[in-house]
Amino acid sequence: MAVGTAVDLREGLDAGDLSSEALVRAAFDRMRHLEPRLHAILAKDEDRSLRLAQAADARLQAGERSPVLGLPIVLKDNLNWTGLPASCGSRVLDGYQAPYDATVVARLVRAGAIPVGKANMDEFAMGSSGEYSAFGPARNPWDTGRVPGGSSSGSVVSVAAGYAPLALGSDTGGSVRLPASFCNVTALRPTYGVLSRFGLTAMASSLDQVGPIAASAADVVLALGVMAGQDPLDSTSSDLPGVERLAAFRPKGLKGLRIGLPSEYFAEGLEPGVRSLLEESLRVFAGEGAEIREVSLPHTRYAIDTYYLICTSEVSSNLSRFDGVRYGHRARGGNLPAMIAESRDEGLGAEVKRRILLGTFCLTKGYYDAFYLKARKARALIARDFERAFEFVDVLATPVSPGVAFPFGAKTDDPMAMYLADAFTVTAPLAGLPCLSMPAGFTAGLPAGIQLIGPAFSDVMLLETAHAYQLLTTHHLETPPLSA
Ligand code: GLN
């Protein structure tokens, strides 16, 4: 049995037609059938999940009602859940077990959500395809010869394949939105700070955000409301304005909504099939009275360079903690420096090493001004582009990726080609803005998403807009042809 959408399951649980225990058992049954093909899950503790489900059922029977109570959820393996591994898709964390809960996980579990698995991912969230997982890639349920997108590969596959109605990923430069587009699900990257990063293993701290993933915007809302808000354990966290609107979630009226199309995102390189899906989606918005306007974000052409300079610089610093002393894999090496060097050499994959080297170089005295500082300046210009655009429009609509899910191996030999898959997803994070990816239809049998970007802290409006679109369309209801 496929697990249904979060909103449907919520109704079933509240009406007493379903039990959390049955849902969790169904999730594990489905994994048993499909994991040999999909490889989305790296770790799970079935007994513990079942105990939590029974406790949720008791709360439901006692009359408690809350958005995620009893719902299964899959967690990206860079989010800590006490007692389970948090491998981050890396060998360097072999044997590590999380000693505490990430704040977002603690809030979900307290509200009665049931984690049912830790999801496969690109190593330390570096990647766009899922292929940089040290444990082998997750596969796209729409075509298992193709990548599911990354880095939150397993989280997105878990929702698309019906293991769980909800999943958490993380998004530094596109890692929930890109796979959502490749696998036909909905994923939000909130405004920087709306979700606590405490207990999320850092990749690039000024960019990292946790992102909820589900079939629809209405489903995403169930998890977001429970997790959002200031956390004393993350000094960059903040409350979400309008969070109360999530409890009585309504679609946004589209009449008069000013939608901006950044001309730079519709330039060459965009696959024609993806372009026509976007045009169709825009006709849906326009048909309801939205005004479509062209806008310009002129510094977009610096986005990939800027992102990869800032990201790698922060990576080089954040990943220095994996030294064989404090966590995970330890090499045999003789003296301490040799042991540290060998532990890192043996434990880390090629892409992670590439980024550590590049980032360390960018931060070196003499190169800092030429690379890192310049990237910071470009970042400010990119953010200013968005500010100017939002003087004229309420929301921006763009492609998520230039193309659809690509075959395994298509970009692994060429890091630059892999980085270019992120051309449309790295800009909003550089500006700290909320953005989401939602299904826009199919081209040659493969799904593609449309991205909405809003001003800072407009997360609720973005979801209301996506909800309005999803009430008018059925793309997000299509599920992959998997027989369990
Ligand atoms: N694909 C981008 C990268 O490799 C984004 C990754 C992410 O958002 N975690 O950096």
Side-chain angles (χ1 to χ4, degrees):
M1 146 189 166
V3 178
T5 73
V7 167
D8 288 347
L9 297 178
R10 173 80 276 130
E11 279 173 18
L13 288 168
D14 289 347
D17 299 336
L18 292 172
S19 76
S20 178
E21 183 176 345
L23 294 182
V24 169
R25 286 192 191 281
F28 290 132
D29 280 347
R30 204 155 165 86
M31 287 180 200
R32 261 185 288 283
H33 283 107
L34 294 174
E35 271 302 273
R37 273 183 277 162
L38 299 179
H39 193 37
I41 301 293
L42 295 179
K44 57 185 160 61
D45 180 344
E46 298 195 17
D47 291 340
R48 181 171 174 196
S49 301
L50 284 167
R51 280 198 303 277
L52 286 173
Q54 286 153 2
D57 284 330
R59 285 165 69 177
L60 282 162
Q61 272 157 22
E64 186 177 336
R65 295 293 175 263
S66 83
V68 295
L69 180 57
L71 292 179
I73 186 164
V74 166
L75 307 172
K76 189 173 181 177
D77 209 21
N78 58 356
L79 283 161
N80 278 0
W81 186 34
T82 310
L84 263 82
S87 73
C88 298
S90 182
R91 295 270 175 214
V92 88
L93 278 163
D94 270 355
Y96 173 76
Q97 291 194 328
Y100 62 91
D101 285 346
T103 296
V104 289
V105 174
R107 288 181 180 176
L108 283 166
V109 170
R110 206 176 309 133
I114 322 291
V116 291
K118 301 294 304 287
N120 203 351
M121 57 184 281
D122 284 296
E123 186 172 4
F124 286 108
M126 300 175 202
S128 310
S129 68
E131 290 165 290
Y132 295 146
S133 167
F135 305 103
R139 294 191 196 87
N140 192 315
W142 292 92
D143 175 349
T144 51
R146 290 176 187 262
V147 303
S151 67
S152 307
S153 49
S155 301
V156 163
V157 171
S158 293
V159 171
Y163 294 169
L166 299 170
L168 294 187
S170 66
D171 188 306
T172 304
S175 276
V176 297
R177 290 163 289 148
L178 184 69
S181 175
F182 284 5
C183 293
N184 205 51
V185 302
T186 305
L188 172 74
R189 175 197 161 91
T191 302
Y192 184 80
V194 160
L195 295 181
S196 167
R197 289 179 295 113
F198 180 75
L200 167 72
T201 303
M203 170 190 176
S205 309
S206 76
L207 294 158
D208 296 341
Q209 265 297 285
V210 173
I213 301 157
S216 68
D219 285 3
V220 162
V221 158
L222 296 180
L224 181 68
V226 169
M227 295 187 290
Q230 221 273 326
D231 172 19
L233 298 170
D234 174 1
S235 61
T236 64
S237 65
S238 42
D239 285 331
L240 172 61
V243 69
E244 65 289 343
R245 302 212 304 272
L246 299 180
F249 188 57
R250 303 252 177 284
K252 181 160 176 58
L254 298 177
K255 194 166 170 43
L257 181 77
R258 298 166 304 168
I259 300 180
L261 305 186
S263 44
E264 293 78 5
Y265 288 60
F266 291 85
E268 55 170 318
L270 183 60
E271 280 177 19
V274 174
R275 181 189 292 268
S276 40
L277 291 179
L278 286 170
E279 286 166 355
E280 235 170 79
S281 299
L282 292 167
R283 277 197 288 276
V284 171
F285 281 110
E288 296 295 304
E291 294 168 26
I292 315 279
R293 305 180 176 181
E294 199 168 304
V295 296
S296 175
L297 301 170
H299 296 93
T300 300
R301 65 179 180 280
Y302 302 120
I304 290 270
D305 298 356
T306 304
Y307 170 81
Y308 277 96
L309 289 173
I310 289 176
C311 171
T312 55
S313 299
E314 295 186 22
V315 159
S316 81
S317 150
N318 274 329
L319 271 74
S320 64
R321 59 171 63 90
F322 302 105
D323 54 9
V325 177
R326 285 170 283 194
Y327 322 87
H329 174 74
R330 178 175 302 169
R332 289 185 177 280
N335 56 22
L336 185 64
M339 186 281 286
I340 292 175
E342 275 173 40
S343 299
R344 287 167 73 75
D345 188 34
E346 291 169 5
L348 298 172
E351 176 63 19
V352 174
K353 286 178 186 162
R354 176 163 33 237
R355 293 198 193 195
I356 292 172
L357 290 171
L358 186 59
T360 307
F361 177 76
C362 292
L363 294 173
T364 317
K365 192 165 185 301
Y367 293 107
Y368 179 92
D369 288 0
F371 293 111
Y372 182 71
L373 207 60
K374 207 176 228 175
R376 292 287 304 269
K377 289 178 183 163
R379 182 178 191 172
L381 293 172
I382 289 165
R384 202 172 306 157
D385 281 355
F386 281 110
E387 275 167 32
R388 296 225 169 101
F390 287 126
E391 287 171 14
F392 304 103
V393 296
D394 303 304
V395 59
L396 296 166
T398 81
V400 181
S401 183
V404 293
F406 43 88
F408 283 103
K411 298 186 200 275
T412 35
D413 293 336
D414 180 357
M416 218 31 225
M418 191 73 90
Y419 296 169
L420 285 172
D422 305 335
F424 306 141
T425 53
V426 296
T427 49
L430 287 167
L433 303 178
C435 37
L436 62 78
S437 168
M438 62 175 174
F442 293 79
T443 164
L446 291 168
I450 177 170
Q451 173 170 243
L452 301 180
I453 306 173
F457 296 104
S458 69
D459 309 50
V460 178
M461 181 276 290
L462 272 190
L463 288 163
E464 290 167 344
T465 306
H467 187 39
Y469 175 83
Q470 291 182 327
L471 290 176
L472 297 163
T473 54
T474 55
H475 313 305
H476 63 289
L477 301 175
E478 303 282 340
T479 50
L482 290 165
S483 52

